[in-house]
């Protein structure tokens, strides 16, 4: 019975060891394994969230870049339109200034022509008076015959 008693002793010792392990060791191991599984799951969730955040950030960056490009293109188009309008305004101002200068030159030319005609009339009147003096061999009084000289000047 020595063998049976030692076997029974070993069996009791093994049963106590199993009971002690299940009561005190396995709960601590299970808690450590559960904690590790939770940290791994949290890490995977954070990685997934990071990937989602990265995708969202890339999408926002792409949208911002597209918006910036569109805005830049719009500003360039607006600048080109403004430049064209300014060029047209400058052309219109230059044409108006040229027209004004031409009108002023025409008015001055007309005034000079009028002055030249008046001077020519005066000279012709003087020549007519001198010619009449030569013909009559006497001096014609300009103040006495002013009416006659004025009619002669208007006819010329």
């Amino acid at each position: 019975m020595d063998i049976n008693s030692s076997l029974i002793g070993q069996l009791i010792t093994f049963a106590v060891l199993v009971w002690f392990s299940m009561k005190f060791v396995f709960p601590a191991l299970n808690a450590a394994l559960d904690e590790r599984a939770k940290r791994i799951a949290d890490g995977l969730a954070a990685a997934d969230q990071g990937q989602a955040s990265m995708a969202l950030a890339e999408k926002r960056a792409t949208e911002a870049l597209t918006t910036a490009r569109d805005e830049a293109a719009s500003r360039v188009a607006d600048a080109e339109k403004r430049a064209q309008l300014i060029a047209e305004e400058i052309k219109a101002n230059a044409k108006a200034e040229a027209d004004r200068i031409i009108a002023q030159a025409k008015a001055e030319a007309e005034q000079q022509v009028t002055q030249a005609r008046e001077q020519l009339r005066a000279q012709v009147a003087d020549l007519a008076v001198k010619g009449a003096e030569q013909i009559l061999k006497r001096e014609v009084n300009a103040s006495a015959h002013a009416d006659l000289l004025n009619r002669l000047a208007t006819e010329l």
Side-chain angles (χ1 to χ4, degrees), residues 17-110:
L17 179 66
V18 167
W19 174 81
F20 181 78
S21 293
M22 290 182 75
K23 183 79 172 165
F24 297 108
V25 175
F26 286 144
L29 285 175
N30 281 338
L33 288 175
D34 288 344
E35 178 66 28
R36 181 164 179 161
K38 184 179 184 259
R39 279 190 280 155
I40 290 171
D42 289 346
L44 290 174
D48 288 343
Q49 186 179 7
Q51 286 179 344
S53 294
M54 181 68 151
L56 181 61
E58 286 179 4
K59 181 181 175 185
R60 286 181 182 168
T62 302
E63 289 174 357
L65 186 60
T66 302
T67 302
R69 283 183 184 152
D70 291 345
E71 187 176 330
S74 174
R75 286 185 180 184
V76 167
D78 289 345
E80 288 174 353
K81 288 178 186 177
R82 182 161 165 71
Q84 188 175 14
L85 289 174
I86 289 172
E88 289 175 5
E89 183 180 338
I90 289 171
K91 285 179 185 177
N93 289 344
K95 180 162 178 20
E97 182 68 16
D99 291 345
R100 186 190 63 80
I101 290 171
I102 289 171
Q104 184 180 4
K106 284 181 180 179
E108 287 178 8
E110 187 66 33

Side-chain angles (χ1 to χ4, degrees), residues 84-154:
Q84 188 175 14
L85 289 174
I86 289 172
E88 289 175 5
E89 183 180 338
I90 289 171
K91 285 179 185 177
N93 289 344
K95 180 162 178 20
E97 182 68 16
D99 291 345
R100 186 190 63 80
I101 290 171
I102 289 171
Q104 184 180 4
K106 284 181 180 179
E108 287 178 8
E110 187 66 33
Q111 185 180 12
Q112 289 175 356
V113 166
T114 303
Q115 287 177 349
R117 282 184 183 160
E118 291 299 321
Q119 288 176 355
L120 186 60
R121 283 185 186 149
Q123 289 175 355
V124 168
D126 286 345
L127 285 176
V129 169
K130 286 183 182 177
E133 280 180 3
Q134 291 292 327
I135 292 174
L136 297 174
K137 293 291 182 190
R138 65 182 179 101
E139 190 174 315
V140 175
N141 187 355
S143 61
H145 297 46
D147 186 41
L148 178 66
L149 292 175
N150 285 338
R151 273 189 284 152
L152 180 63
T154 55

